Amino acid sequence: MQATDEVRDLSRTSREFLAEYDDVKVEAVDFTTIKTPAEWNAKSRESILCNYDMMRPHTQLLFYEQFEDWFNA
């Protein structure tokens, strides 16, 4: 399994959307401490889903629209 920059980007952007649109601050995933691709992907996925669940519906829509091409690929 490979780790990709896309999951890291989604994780970061989900955190940024929470801060910008919903005024919710969450700690960033520290990717420098991750040792394996599987861990990279798992921690990214966990943070994306957690952040998404905390978003208000409008913020969720904005986040989806930002990455619509990725989600529909």
Side-chain angles (χ1 to χ4, degrees):
M1 175 182 266
Q2 292 184 335
T4 64
D5 290 338
E6 287 86 357
V7 292
R8 184 193 61 203
D9 293 344
L10 284 167
S11 176
R12 181 188 65 245
T13 305
S14 67
R15 182 176 51 83
E16 291 171 348
F17 272 48
L18 264 179
E20 182 174 344
Y21 297 111
D22 296 340
D23 199 31
V24 174
K25 308 289 190 262
V26 294
E27 192 169 327
V29 175
D30 184 0
F31 287 96
T32 63
T33 63
I34 296 175
K35 308 248 185 275
T36 67
E39 185 182 7
W40 174 290
N41 289 335
K43 295 220 183 244
S44 296
R45 181 181 184 278
E46 180 182 325
S47 73
I48 294 161
L49 293 175
C50 183
N51 293 344
Y52 187 84
D53 285 346
M54 288 189 281
M55 291 176 187
R56 294 181 303 187
H58 181 70
T59 307
Q60 289 175 338
L61 179 62
L62 293 172
F63 181 74
Y64 174 79
E65 288 174 347
Q66 176 78 24
F67 296 102
E68 186 173 6
D69 291 342
W70 290 8
F71 296 140
N72 292 322

